[in-house]
Amino acid sequence: GASLNSQSRSASEEDRGEGGESSDPEVVEQGAAGPYVEGVDYKLGSLQLGLIYDFQTLTLTLRIIKAKDLPAKDVTGTSDPYVKIMLLPDKKHKLLTKVKKKNLNPHWNECFLFEGWPHNKLLEKTLYLQVIDYDRFSRDDPIGETYIPLNEVDLSTSPVSWKYLQPCKDSRGKLGELLLSLCYQPNIGRLTITVMKAKDLKAKDLTGYSDPYVKIWLFYGTARMEKKKTSIKMKTLNPTYNEAFTFDIPWEKVREANLEISVMDFDKVGRNELIGRVVLGCRSGPMETRHWNDMVAKPRQQVAQWHMLKD
């Protein structure tokens, strides 16, 4: 019941002086002294946060202060990070910080309030923080995460701490992978995409299987142009298709074109459900962009690559 009463508020830009140093002496002092960081260094960067609990108003305030040494997730050699916050085991209510563009050492200094939480109830909860790279053209890419069991924190001391980010448990391969081959013929402006096969797809049916097919949309920028579909493979998580589709894309449009490829679970009765997707283009994620650039660099050749599906 209490989670339904919890609210979040993010301090406004004016309140916190965008990108400025925090005025909290404890924070400045810890940052200046070369911080002690909790956890194992996976080279995914670290996150600084503060916790304050008001025993009178039963309010927990989480302050997302800053991160440092985040890995670059974009082909430009940088990231656009934001933080997703959940009070586990509740996964329905998610809170988000603002996105900091092109920044591997972002300062947020944003506060989130969880109101109406008795202290003994909070001790049963775990604070989950995930740093994510925002991507306009593709799916957002998880950078790293940290868990803070509140029964291990002395909330009466208003602690400020640094946490190393660890690899995200649920980000790699949880939806499956898709093998795609691309071939571009610049002289006639034709792109051929072959949907070869998928593996380890997530089961969407009660049988423990899915009935997957693949849907491909051609986009120019954000405009949808044309759609193609494979056949449906019944009751399998490892379908083989080997089906080729052609799109007419003139050479001068190759840089603004992208393909959104969705693996769908066919359903006779209800709606077809998304299993996962991948966006191929010259401005998508690093692995997707590499595949697209390989295709452009090797005209008239089949270039195949496995892609992790994202949600």
Side-chain angles (χ1 to χ4, degrees), residues 3 54 68 91 104 125 129 141 153 158 213-214 225 289 310:
S3 67
D54 188 320
K68 58 187 284 190
K91 291 185 176 177
L104 300 180
K125 305 292 175 187
L129 308 173
D141 219 0
V153 179
S158 304
Y213 68 95
V214 180
M225 307 304 292
T289 301
K310 302 177 183 181

Side-chain angles (χ1 to χ4, degrees), residues 45-169:
S46 53
L47 182 66
Q48 190 185 33
L49 57 114
L51 288 168
I52 299 170
Y53 183 68
D54 188 320
F55 286 84
Q56 262 74 50
T57 61
L58 308 181
T59 298
L60 176 69
T61 301
L62 164 68
R63 192 150 126 239
I64 302 291
I65 302 166
K66 59 187 175 184
K68 58 187 284 190
D69 303 328
L70 296 179
K73 285 287 188 177
D74 299 339
V75 280
T76 53
T78 184
S79 290
D80 303 319
Y82 67 94
V83 183
K84 179 172 82 176
I85 302 149
M86 291 190 287
L87 198 56
L88 299 177
D90 175 16
K91 291 185 176 177
K92 285 208 292 275
H93 298 89
K94 299 182 179 86
L95 309 171
L96 305 173
T97 67
K98 291 188 165 54
V99 175
K100 296 294 177 183
K101 290 292 177 84
K102 295 188 170 50
N103 201 329
L104 300 180
N105 298 285
H107 287 242
W108 287 285
N109 212 10
E110 291 184 45
C111 289
F112 298 87
L113 275 59
F114 299 89
E115 298 177 324
W117 280 97
H119 186 250
N120 62 332
K121 286 283 182 209
L122 273 181
L123 297 185
E124 300 166 6
K125 305 292 175 187
T126 295
L127 203 52
Y128 171 76
L129 308 173
Q130 184 182 44
V131 181
I132 301 168
D133 171 46
Y134 168 77
D135 201 320
R136 221 176 103 211
F137 297 100
S138 174
R139 297 288 119 197
D140 293 355
D141 219 0
I143 292 174
E145 65 189 12
T146 184
Y147 293 83
I148 302 149
L150 293 177
N151 62 0
E152 295 175 10
V153 179
D154 183 358
L155 291 173
S156 62
T157 62
S158 304
V160 171
S161 60
W162 283 94
K163 303 274 186 188
Y164 278 124
L165 295 172
Q166 58 197 55
C168 297
K169 286 190 182 69

